[in-house]
Amino acid sequence: MTSAHQYSNEWDKLNQQLPKWLEQSREQYVNGKVASYIPELSKAPINALGIHMIDSYGNHITAGETKLTFTMQSISKVFTLLLALMDNGKDVVFDKVGMEPTGDSFNSMLKLELVQPGIPFNPLINAGAIAISSLIAGGSPEEKSERVLQFFRKLSFNDTLTYDKAVYHSEAESADLNRSMAYFLKDNGVLKGNVDDVLDVYFRHCSILTTSSDLARMALVLAYDGTDPITGISLVPRQYVQIAKTFMVTCGMYNASGEFAIEVGLPAKSGVAGGILTMVPGKYGIGIVGPALNAKGNSIAGVHLLTTMSREMDWSIF
Ligand code: GLU
């Protein structure tokens, strides 16, 4: 338990040190690359780095380029998982996706054929998230996508959250691998219905436009087990948030999740547009953007910054 005195020392230290830590981490961008396999993402500023933190009283600390907008990409998979769990319950969801990390890259299909019964290993890899998209309740892809958007708006307390149309079209036009994966899943009996419809829901939620502030706000709800500490509103059942946070620890940072657990020790999810959503459980929600990615697909400067912060503030949950 952190006392009020310790808490204010910690917040003061963060306020003082964060700009310096951020500038040191920013330099890492020279060793990274902006994602280009979705052509529209390659336009992001490679040397940008921004962080937004929120505590349970609604206090904010920000540093760097916090006004930068970017698409959620894989970060959205945490929240579609939550919605699918709320729509269907645990048994139905885990009939279609597993609970284990793969050790492979996020868009790999390798284990789908190697390991029977051919269901995706977990909901945070592309194959798993596509299967999750098919479980979102709704009579049409439009209705499903609208439910996803409304859910994301509720969790971010931002009614203006919407899609980036250019990124959505860019991904839909360049998604041969995800498309082939979806057909494979359909043949294996994992996906029901029309493959294009399922993919449309998936592409849309990946292209929801956000800021580090939105990510921090959504993370705060997870940091407090689904009940927003600022308003007291209960948004997601605690047992589902526990599932999502566990996946964030085991699979959230692609196939660098083990290293991230050792070096940072916080539940986190990254996306290929350079976002990272993380939290200090029971304390803060954190959103980061840094479009230069390392070889594993995580924001190179963002991971560096979180490594410094966790070490300096003694944040690891392990
Ligand atoms: N929309 C991206 C894809 O399907 C998400 C990848 C990511 O952020 O990891 O490739």
Side-chain angles (χ1 to χ4, degrees):
M1 198 72 180
T2 314
S3 71
H5 177 67
Q6 277 172 322
Y7 176 79
S8 102
N9 284 346
E10 182 167 293
W11 196 251
D12 288 348
K13 180 171 175 183
L14 282 164
N15 244 325
Q16 282 163 10
Q17 301 296 326
L18 202 51
K20 181 183 82 190
W21 293 338
L22 181 124
E23 290 312 327
Q24 286 166 354
S25 296
R26 187 197 296 279
E27 299 311 315
Q28 294 293 318
Y29 83 86
V30 294
N31 302 314
K33 281 191 186 133
V34 173
S36 56
Y37 76 101
I38 298 173
E40 196 64 24
L41 296 184
S42 63
K43 297 178 181 166
I46 188 165
N47 61 349
L49 183 62
I51 181 167
H52 195 121
M53 291 186 60
I54 309 184
D55 74 4
S56 62
Y57 307 100
N59 299 312
H60 300 252
I61 297 182
T62 60
E65 283 86 345
T66 46
K67 297 276 179 285
L68 186 66
T69 56
F70 54 97
T71 50
M72 283 188 124
Q73 299 302 332
S74 270
I75 297 169
S76 61
K77 296 171 181 172
V78 173
F79 299 95
T80 51
L81 168 66
L82 289 173
L83 187 57
L85 284 166
M86 289 164 74
D87 283 348
N88 303 277
K90 194 175 159 198
D91 292 348
V92 171
V93 169
F94 292 109
D95 190 42
K96 301 291 183 200
V97 295
M99 298 182 177
E100 306 302 332
T102 61
D104 303 325
S105 67
F106 65 97
N107 55 8
S108 172
M109 292 180 64
L110 188 68
K111 295 218 166 67
L112 280 179
E113 203 174 3
L114 272 181
V115 183
Q116 292 311 316
I119 63 170
F121 262 49
N122 68 68
L124 300 187
I125 52 171
N126 284 8
I130 292 168
I132 292 292
S133 298
S134 77
L135 294 174
I136 302 294
S140 63
E142 292 76 22
E143 196 188 323
K144 288 174 194 235
S145 289
E146 186 55 28
R147 289 191 65 247
V148 170
L149 189 59
Q150 293 305 339
F151 183 62
F152 282 44
R153 285 180 176 171
K154 240 164 71 179
L155 266 81
S156 62
F157 291 82
N158 179 357
D159 285 343
T160 67
L161 219 60
T162 193
Y163 306 105
D164 183 317
K165 289 196 180 58
V167 173
Y168 161 74
H169 288 297
S170 185
E171 175 160 3
E173 282 158 20
S174 58
D176 295 331
L177 187 54
N178 282 335
R179 229 172 264 287
S180 60
M181 225 177 270
Y183 278 103
F184 191 92
L185 291 174
K186 176 153 188 192
D187 193 63
N188 270 7
V190 177
L191 283 192
K192 300 262 176 285
N194 182 293
V195 168
D196 285 326
D197 287 353
V198 173
L199 283 170
D200 195 63
V201 176
Y202 174 78
F203 297 149
R204 278 186 199 276
H205 72 68
C206 287
S207 62
I208 291 177
L209 195 62
T210 191
T211 60
S212 51
S213 154
D214 295 324
L215 296 188
R217 195 69 184 83
M218 294 174 98
L220 186 69
V221 175
L222 302 187
Y224 283 82
D225 294 328
T227 300
D228 177 51
I230 299 177
T231 60
I233 301 172
S234 176
L235 293 160
V236 188
R238 177 182 149 85
Q239 87 242 42
Y240 296 149
V241 175
Q242 271 178 343
I243 292 173
K245 285 201 285 199
T246 309
F247 277 123
M248 290 170 83
V249 169
T250 57
C251 320
M253 301 298 282
Y254 305 116
N255 46 344
S257 298
E259 186 181 345
F260 188 85
I262 288 171
E263 300 296 343
V264 180
L266 298 173
K269 182 72 201 91
S270 61
V272 288
I276 301 177
L277 177 151
T278 186
M279 75 209 71
V280 183
K283 277 190 175 174
Y284 316 120
I286 302 175
I288 290 186
V289 58
L293 307 180
N294 62 23
K296 300 278 174 73
N298 295 312
S299 167
I300 192 164
V303 170
H304 188 272
L305 178 57
L306 284 170
T307 305
T308 305
M309 291 171 79
S310 181
R311 192 184 55 228
E312 293 283 340
M313 308 308 293
D314 194 16
W315 274 345
S316 174
I317 60 172
F318 301 109

